[in-house]
């Protein structure tokens, strides 16, 4: 049974940002995400580490869309208490208070992405860089949502499973050790759960299996399968991988009332 009140989104869905067909609006959406990217990721990280006392909110899809489409005109309408800008007002004012700025538009939009100047790259390269941005956003969303669903699931269990430090370490082990959020350089090779070679995925799949092992209603085929390692038959690894993917999506949907943000394969030129 799904929750009557769906969870919000800690990060915008990648599909929201790449959705607009109008090039002006598409550029605005992307620019407004990049405007807050580093500061918002820092705030999310500080909240998880308990080093931030200010509440970091999550938002509905429509509220993220309102922010991504924010402009000078939208801010003016918001200040004039335009009814249609109530969603814009909620999220913009949260960002302004969180980042201690009088106007969100005073935060500059980066002109580069991972050291590449966005104004001078050819169009085909710009398209690839946008794919990198959306790949990172999917990773960020998956990391945060995995943390949240684990917190929710282990809270339902006995307190022995609910050690924030231990849970954070288990989640971190699912990702490559050199993965940072946000990224400062693009990965040179596929790693983690999205690795193309199944044997490169095995240690991260095992970390995910261990994490899920403490969740209620985890299928016995996952919980009691024994560790996945280099001696595990390929067919068994593939079976457990598929079962975990299905269970994660179903468990997240049931707990949150909405589908999860899932990781993507690393884009290549």
């Amino acid at each position: 049974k799904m929750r009557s009140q769906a969870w919000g989104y800690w990060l915008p869905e990648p599909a929201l940002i790449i959705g607009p067909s109008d090039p002006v609006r598409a550029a605005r959406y992307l620019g407004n995400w990049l405007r807050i990217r580093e500061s918002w990721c820092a705030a999310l990280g500080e909240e998880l580490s308990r080093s931030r006392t200010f509440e970091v909110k999550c938002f509905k899809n429509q509220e993220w869309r309102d922010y991504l489409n924010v402009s000078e005109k939208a801010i003016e309408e918001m200040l004039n208490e335009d009814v249609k800008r109530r969603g814009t007002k909620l999220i913009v004012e949260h960002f302004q208070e969180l980042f201690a700025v009088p106007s969100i538009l005073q935060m500059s939009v980066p002109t580069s992405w991972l050291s590449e100047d966005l104004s001078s790259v050819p169009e085909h390269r710009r398209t690839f860089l946008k794919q990198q941005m959306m790949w990172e956003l999917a990773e960020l969303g998956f990391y945060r949502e995995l943390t949240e669903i684990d917190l929710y699931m282990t809270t339902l269990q006995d307190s022995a499973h609910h050690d924030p430090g231990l849970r954070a370490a288990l989640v971190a082990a699912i990702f490559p050790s050199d993965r940072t959020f946000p990224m400062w350089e693009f990965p040179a090779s596929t790693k983690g759960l999205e690795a193309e070679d199944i044997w490169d995925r095995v240690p991260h799949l095992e970390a995910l299996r261990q994490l899920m092992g403490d969740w209620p209603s985890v299928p016995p085929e996952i919980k009691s399968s024994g560790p996945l390692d280099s001696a595990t038959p390929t067919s068994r690894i593939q079976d457990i991988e598929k079962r975990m993917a299905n269970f994660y999506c179903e468990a997240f949907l049931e707990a949150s009332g909405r589908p999860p943000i899932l990781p993507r394969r690393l884009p290549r030129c």
Side-chain angles (χ1 to χ4, degrees), residues 162-259:
H162 188 53
D163 178 333
L166 173 62
R167 303 317 298 180
L170 286 172
V171 171
I174 295 167
F175 297 81
S177 59
D178 59 353
R179 184 69 46 83
T180 60
F181 299 113
M183 292 190 305
W184 302 113
E185 60 180 7
F186 197 67
S189 60
T190 56
K191 298 179 180 179
L193 295 178
E194 71 269 15
E196 295 179 10
D197 190 318
I198 193 169
W199 298 108
D200 291 335
R201 298 198 300 273
V202 163
H204 307 285
L205 289 170
E206 174 58 19
L208 180 60
R209 192 191 69 81
Q210 291 184 24
L211 186 85
M212 289 180 169
D214 294 328
W215 295 2
S217 72
V218 61
E221 296 87 354
I222 296 173
K223 184 178 179 67
S224 305
S225 70
L228 303 177
D229 54 33
S230 59
T232 308
T234 303
S235 59
R236 184 162 159 269
I237 295 171
Q238 293 171 329
D239 177 64
I240 297 299
E241 181 178 41
K242 183 176 180 180
R243 290 177 186 274
M244 288 195 296
N246 290 338
F247 174 61
Y248 177 77
C249 292
E250 291 169 0
F252 190 93
L253 179 62
E254 183 176 347
S256 70
R258 63 168 178 83

Side-chain angles (χ1 to χ4, degrees), residues 47-206:
E47 182 200 29
L48 288 178
S49 66
R50 310 297 194 273
S51 61
R52 175 176 286 274
T53 56
F54 189 90
E55 181 186 6
V56 175
K57 296 181 179 178
C58 56
F59 298 96
K60 298 175 183 177
N61 245 338
Q62 183 59 52
E63 290 166 341
W64 274 112
R65 186 179 285 107
D66 290 338
Y67 165 70
L68 294 170
N69 196 37
V70 78
S71 61
E72 292 284 359
K73 180 181 178 182
I75 294 292
E76 182 180 343
E77 292 173 346
M78 183 190 84
L79 294 175
N80 291 332
E81 302 294 334
D82 191 316
V83 173
K84 70 180 181 180
R85 293 298 179 187
R86 286 177 178 170
T88 307
K89 183 179 177 68
L90 174 70
I91 191 168
V92 165
E93 288 187 344
H94 180 67
F95 287 153
Q96 289 174 172
E97 186 175 2
L98 185 67
F99 304 141
V101 293
S103 171
I104 194 67
L105 297 181
Q106 290 183 7
M107 296 178 69
S108 61
V109 177
T111 58
S112 63
W113 168 257
L114 306 183
S115 77
E116 291 200 55
D117 186 346
L118 293 173
S119 64
S120 62
V121 295
E123 188 57 35
H124 74 277
R125 183 65 182 173
R126 184 191 299 271
T127 298
F128 176 61
L129 295 183
K130 288 179 182 177
Q131 292 173 350
Q132 290 186 356
M133 297 172 196
M134 295 306 100
W135 178 85
E136 181 204 48
L137 187 53
E139 284 287 294
L140 286 165
F142 177 56
Y143 188 98
R144 179 60 191 232
E145 291 184 355
L146 183 59
T147 301
E148 292 295 333
I149 187 65
D150 181 65
L151 174 64
Y152 174 82
M153 289 295 194
T154 54
T155 301
L156 297 177
Q157 295 283 63
D158 60 86
S159 58
H161 293 110
H162 188 53
D163 178 333
L166 173 62
R167 303 317 298 180
L170 286 172
V171 171
I174 295 167
F175 297 81
S177 59
D178 59 353
R179 184 69 46 83
T180 60
F181 299 113
M183 292 190 305
W184 302 113
E185 60 180 7
F186 197 67
S189 60
T190 56
K191 298 179 180 179
L193 295 178
E194 71 269 15
E196 295 179 10
D197 190 318
I198 193 169
W199 298 108
D200 291 335
R201 298 198 300 273
V202 163
H204 307 285
L205 289 170
E206 174 58 19

Side-chain angles (χ1 to χ4, degrees), residues 253-266:
L253 179 62
E254 183 176 347
S256 70
R258 63 168 178 83
I261 294 175
L262 298 173
R264 304 178 173 195
R265 284 294 176 96
L266 201 68

